[in-house]
Short mmCIF file of all heavy atoms in Angstrom, two decimals:
data_model
loop_
_atom_site.label_atom_id
_atom_site.label_comp_id
_atom_site.label_asym_id
_atom_site.label_seq_id
_atom_site.Cartn_x
_atom_site.Cartn_y
_atom_site.Cartn_z
N THR A 283 -34.98 -60.12 -57.20
CA THR A 283 -35.30 -61.53 -57.37
C THR A 283 -36.36 -61.66 -58.46
O THR A 283 -37.19 -60.76 -58.63
CB THR A 283 -35.81 -62.18 -56.06
OG1 THR A 283 -36.97 -61.49 -55.59
CG2 THR A 283 -34.72 -62.14 -54.99
N PHE A 284 -36.33 -62.78 -59.18
CA PHE A 284 -37.15 -62.92 -60.38
C PHE A 284 -37.88 -64.26 -60.42
O PHE A 284 -38.19 -64.77 -61.49
CB PHE A 284 -36.28 -62.75 -61.63
CG PHE A 284 -35.62 -61.40 -61.70
CD1 PHE A 284 -34.39 -61.18 -61.09
CD2 PHE A 284 -36.23 -60.34 -62.35
CE1 PHE A 284 -33.79 -59.94 -61.14
CE2 PHE A 284 -35.64 -59.09 -62.40
CZ PHE A 284 -34.41 -58.88 -61.79
N ASP A 285 -38.15 -64.83 -59.27
CA ASP A 285 -38.85 -66.10 -59.21
C ASP A 285 -40.21 -65.88 -58.55
O ASP A 285 -40.59 -64.75 -58.26
CB ASP A 285 -38.03 -67.14 -58.43
CG ASP A 285 -37.58 -66.60 -57.08
OD1 ASP A 285 -38.43 -66.11 -56.32
OD2 ASP A 285 -36.36 -66.65 -56.78
N ARG A 286 -40.92 -66.95 -58.32
CA ARG A 286 -42.23 -66.87 -57.69
C ARG A 286 -42.21 -67.43 -56.28
O ARG A 286 -43.25 -67.78 -55.72
CB ARG A 286 -43.26 -67.62 -58.56
CG ARG A 286 -43.44 -67.01 -59.93
CD ARG A 286 -44.20 -65.71 -59.87
NE ARG A 286 -45.61 -65.92 -59.54
CZ ARG A 286 -46.44 -64.94 -59.20
NH1 ARG A 286 -46.00 -63.69 -59.10
NH2 ARG A 286 -47.71 -65.21 -58.93
N ASP A 287 -41.04 -67.50 -55.69
CA ASP A 287 -40.92 -68.00 -54.33
C ASP A 287 -41.36 -66.93 -53.33
O ASP A 287 -41.51 -65.75 -53.66
CB ASP A 287 -39.48 -68.42 -54.03
CG ASP A 287 -39.09 -69.70 -54.73
OD1 ASP A 287 -39.95 -70.58 -54.86
OD2 ASP A 287 -37.93 -69.81 -55.15
N MET A 288 -41.51 -67.34 -52.09
CA MET A 288 -41.80 -66.42 -51.02
C MET A 288 -40.46 -65.94 -50.45
O MET A 288 -39.93 -66.49 -49.49
CB MET A 288 -42.63 -67.09 -49.92
CG MET A 288 -43.12 -66.12 -48.85
SD MET A 288 -43.53 -66.94 -47.28
CE MET A 288 -41.89 -67.39 -46.72
N ASN A 289 -39.89 -64.91 -51.05
CA ASN A 289 -38.61 -64.35 -50.61
C ASN A 289 -38.90 -63.33 -49.51
O ASN A 289 -39.02 -62.13 -49.76
CB ASN A 289 -37.89 -63.70 -51.79
CG ASN A 289 -37.62 -64.70 -52.90
OD1 ASN A 289 -36.88 -65.66 -52.73
ND2 ASN A 289 -38.27 -64.49 -54.04
N TRP A 290 -39.01 -63.84 -48.29
CA TRP A 290 -39.55 -63.03 -47.19
C TRP A 290 -38.45 -62.58 -46.23
O TRP A 290 -37.44 -63.26 -46.03
CB TRP A 290 -40.60 -63.85 -46.44
CG TRP A 290 -41.08 -63.20 -45.17
CD1 TRP A 290 -41.76 -62.03 -45.06
CD2 TRP A 290 -40.89 -63.69 -43.85
NE1 TRP A 290 -42.02 -61.75 -43.73
CE2 TRP A 290 -41.48 -62.76 -42.97
CE3 TRP A 290 -40.27 -64.82 -43.32
CZ2 TRP A 290 -41.49 -62.92 -41.59
CZ3 TRP A 290 -40.26 -65.00 -41.94
CH2 TRP A 290 -40.87 -64.04 -41.10
N ALA A 291 -38.66 -61.41 -45.62
CA ALA A 291 -37.84 -60.88 -44.53
C ALA A 291 -36.36 -60.74 -44.89
O ALA A 291 -35.49 -61.17 -44.14
CB ALA A 291 -37.99 -61.75 -43.28
N PRO A 292 -36.02 -60.08 -46.01
CA PRO A 292 -34.60 -59.89 -46.34
C PRO A 292 -33.94 -58.87 -45.41
O PRO A 292 -34.55 -57.84 -45.07
CB PRO A 292 -34.63 -59.39 -47.78
CG PRO A 292 -35.96 -58.69 -47.90
CD PRO A 292 -36.91 -59.48 -47.04
N TYR A 293 -32.72 -59.16 -45.01
CA TYR A 293 -31.94 -58.24 -44.15
C TYR A 293 -30.53 -58.15 -44.72
O TYR A 293 -29.88 -59.16 -44.95
CB TYR A 293 -31.90 -58.75 -42.71
CG TYR A 293 -31.26 -57.76 -41.76
CD1 TYR A 293 -32.03 -56.81 -41.11
CD2 TYR A 293 -29.89 -57.76 -41.54
CE1 TYR A 293 -31.45 -55.87 -40.26
CE2 TYR A 293 -29.30 -56.84 -40.69
CZ TYR A 293 -30.08 -55.90 -40.04
OH TYR A 293 -29.51 -54.98 -39.20
N PRO A 294 -30.03 -56.93 -44.96
CA PRO A 294 -28.74 -56.79 -45.65
C PRO A 294 -27.54 -57.10 -44.78
O PRO A 294 -27.52 -56.84 -43.57
CB PRO A 294 -28.75 -55.31 -46.06
CG PRO A 294 -29.59 -54.64 -45.02
CD PRO A 294 -30.66 -55.63 -44.68
N ALA A 295 -26.50 -57.63 -45.42
CA ALA A 295 -25.22 -57.87 -44.76
C ALA A 295 -24.38 -56.60 -44.80
O ALA A 295 -24.54 -55.77 -45.70
CB ALA A 295 -24.48 -59.02 -45.43
N PRO A 296 -23.46 -56.44 -43.86
CA PRO A 296 -22.58 -55.26 -43.86
C PRO A 296 -21.66 -55.17 -45.07
O PRO A 296 -21.06 -54.13 -45.29
CB PRO A 296 -21.78 -55.41 -42.56
CG PRO A 296 -22.60 -56.29 -41.69
CD PRO A 296 -23.28 -57.25 -42.64
N ASP A 297 -21.55 -56.25 -45.84
CA ASP A 297 -20.69 -56.20 -47.04
C ASP A 297 -21.37 -55.50 -48.22
O ASP A 297 -20.75 -55.28 -49.26
CB ASP A 297 -20.21 -57.59 -47.43
CG ASP A 297 -21.31 -58.49 -48.00
OD1 ASP A 297 -22.51 -58.08 -47.97
OD2 ASP A 297 -20.99 -59.59 -48.46
N GLY A 298 -22.67 -55.16 -48.07
CA GLY A 298 -23.38 -54.42 -49.11
C GLY A 298 -23.82 -55.26 -50.29
O GLY A 298 -24.47 -54.74 -51.19
N ARG A 299 -23.51 -56.52 -50.29
CA ARG A 299 -23.84 -57.38 -51.44
C ARG A 299 -24.81 -58.51 -51.08
O ARG A 299 -25.69 -58.84 -51.85
CB ARG A 299 -22.55 -57.97 -52.02
CG ARG A 299 -22.79 -59.00 -53.10
CD ARG A 299 -21.53 -59.37 -53.83
NE ARG A 299 -21.77 -60.42 -54.81
CZ ARG A 299 -20.96 -60.71 -55.82
NH1 ARG A 299 -19.83 -60.03 -55.98
NH2 ARG A 299 -21.26 -61.67 -56.67
N HIS A 300 -24.64 -59.09 -49.91
CA HIS A 300 -25.44 -60.24 -49.52
C HIS A 300 -26.58 -59.84 -48.59
O HIS A 300 -26.59 -58.76 -48.03
CB HIS A 300 -24.55 -61.30 -48.86
CG HIS A 300 -23.54 -61.90 -49.78
ND1 HIS A 300 -22.26 -61.38 -49.91
CD2 HIS A 300 -23.61 -62.95 -50.64
CE1 HIS A 300 -21.58 -62.09 -50.80
NE2 HIS A 300 -22.39 -63.04 -51.26
N TYR A 301 -27.51 -60.76 -48.42
CA TYR A 301 -28.62 -60.56 -47.50
C TYR A 301 -29.12 -61.91 -47.04
O TYR A 301 -29.01 -62.92 -47.74
CB TYR A 301 -29.75 -59.75 -48.14
CG TYR A 301 -30.36 -60.37 -49.38
CD1 TYR A 301 -31.53 -61.12 -49.32
CD2 TYR A 301 -29.76 -60.20 -50.64
CE1 TYR A 301 -32.10 -61.68 -50.45
CE2 TYR A 301 -30.33 -60.76 -51.78
CZ TYR A 301 -31.49 -61.50 -51.68
OH TYR A 301 -32.04 -62.06 -52.81
N VAL A 302 -29.68 -61.96 -45.84
CA VAL A 302 -30.31 -63.17 -45.35
C VAL A 302 -31.82 -63.01 -45.50
O VAL A 302 -32.35 -61.90 -45.38
CB VAL A 302 -29.92 -63.45 -43.88
CG1 VAL A 302 -28.48 -63.93 -43.81
CG2 VAL A 302 -30.12 -62.24 -42.98
N PHE A 303 -32.51 -64.10 -45.75
CA PHE A 303 -33.96 -64.05 -45.97
C PHE A 303 -34.54 -65.43 -45.76
O PHE A 303 -33.82 -66.39 -45.46
CB PHE A 303 -34.28 -63.52 -47.38
CG PHE A 303 -33.93 -64.46 -48.50
CD1 PHE A 303 -34.93 -65.12 -49.21
CD2 PHE A 303 -32.60 -64.70 -48.86
CE1 PHE A 303 -34.63 -65.98 -50.26
CE2 PHE A 303 -32.29 -65.57 -49.90
CZ PHE A 303 -33.31 -66.21 -50.60
N VAL A 304 -35.86 -65.54 -45.90
CA VAL A 304 -36.56 -66.80 -45.62
C VAL A 304 -37.26 -67.31 -46.86
O VAL A 304 -37.87 -66.54 -47.62
CB VAL A 304 -37.60 -66.60 -44.49
CG1 VAL A 304 -38.38 -67.89 -44.24
CG2 VAL A 304 -36.91 -66.13 -43.22
N ARG A 305 -37.15 -68.62 -47.05
CA ARG A 305 -37.91 -69.32 -48.08
C ARG A 305 -38.54 -70.57 -47.47
O ARG A 305 -38.11 -71.05 -46.44
CB ARG A 305 -37.00 -69.74 -49.24
CG ARG A 305 -36.82 -68.70 -50.31
CD ARG A 305 -36.06 -69.28 -51.50
NE ARG A 305 -35.96 -68.31 -52.58
CZ ARG A 305 -35.29 -68.51 -53.70
NH1 ARG A 305 -34.64 -69.66 -53.88
NH2 ARG A 305 -35.24 -67.60 -54.64
#
Side-chain angles (χ1 to χ4, degrees):
T283 58
F284 299 87
D285 51 52
R286 297 287 289 168
D287 287 324
M288 188 202 70
N289 300 296
W290 171 64
Y293 187 90
D297 71 352
R299 173 169 177 162
H300 295 92
Y301 59 97
V302 288
F303 70 108
V304 177
R305 272 188 176 176

